[in-house]
Amino acid sequence: MSAITGEQAILIEKPGLAGRISDFFWKHPHVFLAVMLAPPLLWLGIIYLGSLLALLLQSFFSIDDYSGLVNYEFTLSTYGQLLNEANLDIIIRTVSMAAIVTLFSALIAFPIAYYAARYARGKWKAIFYLGVMLPLWSSYLVKIYAWKLILAKEGILTWFLAKLNLLWLLDAWLSIPVIGGNSLSVSYTGTFIVFVYVWMPFMILPIQASLERVPANLIEASSDLGSTPQQTFRHVLFPLALPGIVAGSIFTFSLTLGDYIIPQIIGSSRLFIGQAVYAQQGTAGNIPLAAAFTVVPIVIMGLYLWMARKMGAFDAL
Amino acid sequence: QEALKELGKGEGELSIVAWAGYIERGDTDKNYDWVTGFEKETGCKVSVKTAATSDEMVALMNEGGFDLVTASGDASLRLVAGKRVQPINTDLIPSWKTVDKRLQDAPWYTVKGVHYGVPYVWGPNVLMYNTDVFKGKPPKSWNVVFEEMNLPDGKSNKGRVQAYDGPIHIADAANYLMFHKPELGIKSPYELNEDQYKAALDLLRVQRKLAGRYWHDAMIQVDDFKNEGVVASGSWPFQVNLLKSEKQPVASEFPEEGTTGWADTTMLHTESAHPNCAYMWMEHSLSAKVQGDVSAWFGANPSVAAACKGNELLTDEGCATNGYNDFDKIKFWRTPVAKCESQSECVPYHRWVSDYIGVIGGR
Amino acid sequence: MRSDRSTSAPPGLKIAAAGGLLFLHLPIMLIFLYAFTTEEKSYQFPPPGLTLQWFAVTWNRPDVWEALSLSVRVASIATAIALVLGTLCAAAVSQTRFFGRETISLLVILPIALPGIITGIALRSAFSMADIPFSIWTIVLGHATFCVVVVYNNAVARFRRVSGSLVEASMDLGANGLQTFRHVILPNISTALLAGGMLAFALSFDEVIVTTFTGGQQSTLPIWMLQELIRPRQRPVTNVVAMVVVLVTFLPILAAYYLTRDGDQIAGSGK
Amino acid sequence: MTAAVLFENVSRHFGAVRAVDAVDLAVAEGEFFAMLGPSGSGKTTCLRLMAGFEQPTHGHIEIFGETAEGVPPYRRNVNTVFQDYALFPHLSILDNVAYGLMVKGVVREERRKAAEDALAMVKLPGYGARRPGQLSGGQRQRVALARALVNKPKVLLLDEPLGALDLKLREQMQEELKTLQKSLGITFVFVTHDQGEALSMADRIAVFNDGKIQQLGTPEDVYKRPKTRFVADFVGSSNILQPEFVTQLGAGQQLASLRPEAIGLNSKKEGQLAVSGVVLSRSFLGASNRVTVNVGGTKLHVMSPASSPVPEEGSNVTLSFAPADLHLMETTP
Amino acid sequence: MTAAVLFENVSRHFGAVRAVDAVDLAVAEGEFFAMLGPSGSGKTTCLRLMAGFEQPTHGHIEIFGETAEGVPPYRRNVNTVFQDYALFPHLSILDNVAYGLMVKGVVREERRKAAEDALAMVKLPGYGARRPGQLSGGQRQRVALARALVNKPKVLLLDEPLGALDLKLREQMQEELKTLQKSLGITFVFVTHDQGEALSMADRIAVFNDGKIQQLGTPEDVYKRPKTRFVADFVGSSNILQPEFVTQLGAGQQLASLRPEAIGLNSKKEGQLAVSGVVLSRSFLGASNRVTVNVGGTKLHVMSPASSPVPEEGSNVTLSFAPADLHLMETTP
Ligand SMILES: Nc1ncnc2c1ncn2[C@@H]1O[C@H](COP(=O)(O)OP(=O)(O)OP(=O)(O)O)[C@@H](O)[C@H]1O
Ligand SMILES: Nc1ncnc2c1ncn2[C@@H]1O[C@H](COP(=O)(O)OP(=O)(O)OP(=O)(O)O)[C@@H](O)[C@H]1O
Ligand SMILES: NCCCCNCCCN
Ligand SMILES: [Mg+2]
Ligand SMILES: [Mg+2]
């Protein structure tokens, strides 16, 4: 290698298109940013948000009761309809279900995530990962039908409980008002179980990710300062895992809020928001009311996302 | 819009919105196939979209993209009013003249003398029940699904009965009240004033306590009879036949209060892309063979008298079994409107929709 | 976490974790079991007998193949679109700082955070307003919209780890923007994109609700399943399909796991 | 007097790795005890054995005369200042400091008071409301210290607490720590790989290598009388003279170490040994110059005060040193 | 001769932060130029301005006489060794080193050869097939060096290249770098916050503070004749004497700096100034002892060679120093 190179300190502009494009973008980073952002922003900002806004707009129209055609005149009557007793029931029913499903999903998911994050190593870690991913990606519909078989009055659970002479337990549960019913598959309990089953895996991975991000030495520091393992959990581990729980709950909450298939297959015919939207849109052709119904989850999830972002839950997603 | 003047060549395709079991191509049972032959003959490839309720049918037609719909009486006039279906030139359908005279000018598809379709099949909503539970004592009244009682097997009917998950079921309650509470003065179960309507809803609230789940889809009702311990429910002959064919212990009854029912019309979409194929289908659908086969499969009655005789699948007793002679006792589905005929003002359909959701929701 | 290497989990935790996993897997076993039942109309328990016939029946049903082929096409195209959009977005957000970055990550998350029925119905009514007829493309459009986020999340995480100085090092060594993309950025994010793409594919492949609204007459595999499950003719066929899909997705999921995990090590060594 | 910390033949193995290997040591009460050694030599593991995060594979540990094996960290009256501080990111500074008291059940007002006192002691009064993320490295280090000290531990363990700080701040913190230790009288066990830090701060130093203690003694012992080549080399820079070279000097037949600052340049005094050589290179270090001299094939570093003249590169020089500064060592490295 | 790098009144502001503030400097061709300063003082930003990763907010930059503003990094014949090395994790060592040649379109065989030569030059022959993850810190550092040098840059920029290495390795690499620079004759611009490193390696040093150059000169200039209190304090440790104290000594009326090693303990020689005080504390640093003495309320540090006796704490001592060692400075800090 020679001591001093003969070359110029500044190289002449490279010919060729690639070089010129590079130079252009380098000199105009804002143009470059715009070029990168344009496709996703056009897609999400124009097509998606545009559709969403158009839908919201529809909620300010009304429908002709007899012909089922939309009457394109501004009115708040659809919102008036949204707030009638039966529809309020639907909203309350759905939101309560989503909240309880989220709570229980977190309760069941946490030990799995905790074990996977802090104890599972090597092969076991992979097994846990697959153990969570497989249910997540196996057909949603077929899983629901599997639960229908389990929960039916003459289904598998009954069969097992009968073998174990525990049918009285089931009957006792079913006789509890509100959550009970004629059989699990036509009760809130059944709907709840299937919701938890189907959405809970969405909770595990974010919790696991946030637990894995808790540095080991914080746990040690806590123990060093005199915390028993229980105290460490309460004061250190849980607060630090919270963003993960919130991130997971975005899924469990939103998916429960909008699902119409589960409560229709496993449930007592009392509508959930998703079913109401589906029925108003598809069955009754009442697009304005359907649109007004969608405002409910949009507002709820909007608030939820806002809160989640404040808690730093997006990083855990 | 003017009706078609003359028939051209088939367009090669035809899409139909239909009730489950209305358009069969032998998938479920090889013997029941009235599509394959038609396709061979006309070159029109048939696709079917099944709908579970009349409301769904109206919504699908509003959305467009279909040629034909097998609309029931509670949907047909809404489709006409919404200008979703076009007038039919009966001259282009040779079999039109074979149609049962009781149906030829039926008000649910004839407006000011103009026909907006051709009749398909009709039938009653029957009371299906479990023969093991009722032990040779078939229920004579709809009260088994409306009022709490012990069934012949000694257990309560609570949690063991079902009802149809569609607002039109309010008419079934009204029909029950028409018989049991004449003082309400109900003339037609589809024309209810506020008081009559309220009484019907009250009855349905009682029913809500008995029904674990409402049936929305014919196939799911079949499942519920098999797996969910449901022993009695308003139903269609279709489900009865299906369950019987699976050797399930069910039978159906035509209760003393009479029943509601449906008389369906094949209607042509205003913007149909395949009108020629559609006319060919309407002609095909009125043939005695098709009418008989559909009636046998669905448990319905043909709109062509000739179908009652000599059809292998329906057999010669079929029409009688399915209620062919009870035509006058059936109150066919209509769309409830505010300006009703029998009294000054009635509760319109949109209230039926929201109130029924409320009743099922426990309101 | 190193501190736990020497300790083992408390028994209560082990039981809860195992119980949770069991809860997740028993119903799936059931799906597998009923792929072999001899009874075809409704499922009784225990199954009256076991048979392999449904595999052959499934193989010979053209509607299965049609639905499968549509699903594969939809998922592939949606994934491809999501890969492009998600990567662009992730690159913009993580390589530069600009006003509104936060809003963009919110925008990307929105389609998955709002219930599918809202996405579906919004797009459906937009299609009808714009007089766009339903087709495979309307399905793809819906799916791509909510798939962007998984690609985005994977890519953002990787971009964060691929130290920013790698790009500068490349430019410093004389590579222009395109060369840097080709030789440095792409190789470093490829495993993350692959993993994100697989998740996007799986998400699209199993989507029912959005498809219900954005699809016309075509049925994707889940829509086909919905019809099959409601109308019981040869119900075990749906189980065979579900089981095969689970088994076939097993390998890509495992691959994605190892790819992203190794990626950690590779990309992390830049520090 | 019972030792504050006593190791009797303590080992901690991780599979085949002998992180700590048959270590004996006794830290006296009130002592500032440093553990010095290169990366991977087992210092941290020793500390973790004292804190209770690790259990010995063999051997016996006592803390103030009581057996420590099997006692979990949260039941040892021993606190640790972690290398990266390990402050709780979700708690305020005050809550961080009060944490140990909180889990012990001290009432709110009282622990608040104690935490504020501890913050004042580390010269961070009024910082209680902030979050760890809002402090600089040196401030965090002091918070970590306050958080440990508020519990009034019998032994304070510090794992390279100054490692992440830059030079000026490190020097300042060294002084503060030392002063604090003196005034509190708590036993400090301090891990570092910076020999300067260990020399200037500790009462006694244990030099670790490969899980074993190479030498244990006062800073002067360790610096001036290194027992092994490893210690001579690791603690301060040193010229290691091969036995042949030493033989030529007539000073013995062993490996020897000679500190660069013990060598005079062209300034032989009476009774000193002398060799001559050629200057290879020199570099300016501020307070002194480092001159590298080739003495018959052996490279010797000489540290000469900035005030003395620096010979040119290539010039001949005489190196001289007192025989006492030539420190003979065990020949096995 | 044209300067290798020329800054004329260069500023780089980030919003309100003046990372680089009106800097003038000229790096001569073939020079080993160090930029020294505390964290956040703008060293890295200066380097990035040279490399082309940043554009100046004001001012003008030339590289070998050519205007550099607006020229992208990939068209500057200037290469950088990054603090964290920034080796491409997906490429082998050989491909890493050959990267610059590859993107320039040098054919495979040729660039392979050149890369192997460069690896040999940094004493890593035969390591080409490995991945960066399989090398130690010091080895990675050398790969980063080879990767830059293979392009035969006119200027090599190094951003704290030794910051992540531990003491022994750092000393060794310092020597190697210096030797390499001498043999290649390439202009090196070297960023560090370690004053020892800057003093021992550089031909000239620019001392940065708050985005400004405080002093620019040879190591001796900077160490012995600090212009400002900041420089005196930052480069080596120093006793800063307040004007009042200096007045009392009769040596002037300005702020002055006095190096601890320039002070004699109880050893006044002729012509020296002397003050007396009480020993506050002393600490052993190996090659020397640091003694802190209270002189009428002013704390003075004295660095006394290990060979001299160390006075007891509390004893009275006389401190003496040559007037020339008392360096007067601008009073504004
Ligand atoms: N939990 C563990 N599992 C396996 N090996 C370990 C573990 N902890 C430490 N070791 C190994 O034991 C040896 C000593 O490690 P230790 O952390 O005590 O060294 P150290 O002297 O503190 O080094 P450093 O200065 O780098 O912190 C190392 O080789 C390390 O890799
Ligand atoms: N891209 C940027 N945006 C905003 N501020 C910046 C940016 N880069 C540097 N700064 C600020 O400019 C100042 C100088 O930073 P610079 O990195 O040049 O310091 P430095 O001397 O290299 O410090 P260190 O020794 O910590 O690396 C700092 O206050 C820094 O926070
Ligand atoms: N694995 C199937 C889960 C389906 C969830 N779909 C989410 C889409 C949100 N719009
Ligand atoms: Mg350590
Ligand atoms: Mg810097």
Side-chain angles (χ1 to χ4, degrees), chain B residues 56-103:
Chain B
E56 210 174 319
M57 284 190 172
V58 174
L60 285 170
M61 288 299 278
N62 280 345
E63 197 171 86
F66 301 98
D67 299 307
L68 294 172
V69 61
T70 59
S72 297
D74 57 335
S76 49
L77 287 183
R78 286 157 69 196
L79 290 171
V80 174
K83 299 193 168 47
R84 291 294 157 185
V85 290
Q86 54 175 288
I88 296 300
N89 182 350
T90 50
D91 295 344
L92 299 180
I93 302 167
S95 300
W96 170 258
K97 23 185 203 310
T98 65
V99 168
D100 192 334
K101 293 288 173 258
R102 296 177 293 188
L103 293 168

Side-chain angles (χ1 to χ4, degrees), chain C residues 8-141:
Chain C
S8 74
L13 176 65
K14 276 187 186 163
I15 292 169
L21 280 186
L22 220 56
F23 171 62
L24 282 181
H25 286 270
L26 284 182
I28 294 183
M29 300 298 151
L30 197 67
I31 295 171
F32 285 16
L33 176 66
Y34 278 109
F36 300 94
T37 182
T38 46
E39 187 209 21
E40 71 171 90
K41 283 278 197 284
S42 65
Y43 303 130
Q44 70 188 74
F45 190 85
L50 298 177
T51 169
L52 286 173
Q53 75 174 93
W54 301 116
F55 288 83
V57 171
T58 308
W59 185 267
N60 291 321
R61 278 198 34 187
D63 52 338
V64 175
W65 291 106
E66 274 166 35
L68 183 70
S69 130
L70 180 67
S71 269
V72 168
R73 274 179 291 150
V74 166
S76 309
I77 304 171
T79 302
I81 295 173
L83 276 173
V84 172
L85 298 182
T87 310
L88 283 175
C89 227
V93 164
S94 50
Q95 302 283 293
T96 52
R97 324 201 118 259
F98 56 90
F99 182 72
R101 297 167 72 227
E102 287 278 286
T103 319
I104 288 192
S105 52
L106 192 66
L107 184 61
V108 173
I109 288 167
L110 207 57
I112 198 109
L114 288 183
I117 193 166
I118 292 181
T119 307
I121 196 173
L123 289 175
R124 184 186 190 90
S125 63
F127 294 153
S128 78
M129 264 187 260
D131 264 336
I132 300 172
F134 294 111
S135 68
I136 170 169
W137 295 104
T138 51
I139 305 179
V140 164
L141 199 135

Side-chain angles (χ1 to χ4, degrees), chain D residues 77-120:
Chain D
N77 199 358
V78 163
N79 285 117
T80 308
V81 175
F82 292 82
Q83 174 163 17
D84 53 3
Y85 319 138
L87 300 183
F88 303 121
H90 60 295
L91 299 180
S92 71
I93 296 303
L94 198 79
D95 289 342
N96 260 282
V97 176
Y99 187 89
L101 300 175
M102 178 194 65
V103 297
K104 280 192 198 80
V106 174
V107 296
R108 187 177 200 80
E109 265 322 298
E110 203 172 309
R111 64 178 194 248
R112 209 185 164 76
K113 176 87 188 47
E116 268 162 7
D117 289 351
L119 279 174

Side-chain angles (χ1 to χ4, degrees), chain A residues 16-205:
Chain A
L17 188 62
R20 262 181 288 150
I21 292 175
S22 283
D23 281 11
F24 178 81
F25 281 145
W26 187 82
K27 283 178 186 148
H28 304 95
H30 292 289
V31 177
F32 184 50
L33 187 63
V35 168
M36 280 204 287
L37 278 176
L41 281 191
L42 284 177
W43 188 290
L44 293 172
I46 310 284
I47 301 184
Y48 179 66
L49 276 191
S51 307
L52 219 51
L53 288 180
L55 177 68
L56 292 189
L57 203 65
Q58 304 237 36
S59 65
F60 295 102
F61 300 145
S62 59
I63 190 160
D64 182 86
D65 290 315
Y66 188 68
S67 66
L69 295 177
V70 176
N71 181 7
Y72 293 99
E73 252 171 62
F74 177 85
T75 169
L76 285 176
S77 69
T78 306
Y79 281 95
Q81 229 178 314
L82 177 68
L83 297 178
N84 78 25
E85 282 180 339
N87 290 341
L88 275 181
D89 280 351
I90 292 174
I91 293 169
I92 293 167
R93 180 181 303 133
T94 311
V95 173
S96 323
M97 178 63 84
I100 298 174
V101 165
T102 297
L103 180 72
F104 275 81
S105 295
L107 284 179
I108 300 174
F110 201 94
I112 301 176
Y114 188 65
Y115 191 93
R118 303 200 61 217
Y119 295 98
R121 299 276 152 235
K123 186 183 72 179
W124 278 102
K125 196 141 188 137
I127 290 174
F128 260 84
Y129 181 79
L130 275 177
V132 175
M133 287 311 268
L134 271 187
L136 200 56
W137 300 126
S138 37
S139 170
Y140 155 85
L141 289 167
V142 179
K143 281 189 293 192
I144 299 172
Y145 269 84
W147 274 101
K148 192 170 146 79
L149 299 182
I150 296 173
L151 298 176
K153 190 170 188 72
E154 271 134 52
I156 294 168
L157 194 65
T158 310
W159 187 85
F160 267 108
L161 291 177
K163 291 257 155 178
L164 299 172
N165 283 324
L166 287 174
L167 268 182
W168 56 271
L169 209 68
L170 181 62
D171 290 335
W173 183 267
L174 288 175
S175 64
I176 303 175
V178 185
I179 59 172
N182 188 47
S183 85
L184 281 177
S185 81
V186 298
S187 66
Y188 282 135
T189 309
T191 318
F192 163 78
I193 291 174
V194 180
F195 269 135
V196 170
Y197 177 80
V198 172
W199 305 137
M200 190 262 282
F202 286 91
M203 188 69 113
I204 299 176
L205 293 178

Side-chain angles (χ1 to χ4, degrees), chain E residues 21-38:
Chain E
D21 200 13
V23 163
D24 285 296
L25 61 78
V27 180
E29 190 170 344
E31 191 175 25
F32 197 119
F33 189 89
M35 301 202 286
L36 176 67

Side-chain angles (χ1 to χ4, degrees), chain E residues 14 17 19 38-45 160:
Chain E
F14 298 104
V17 181
S39 188
S41 58
K43 310 176 299 288
T44 295
T45 307
E160 310 205 15

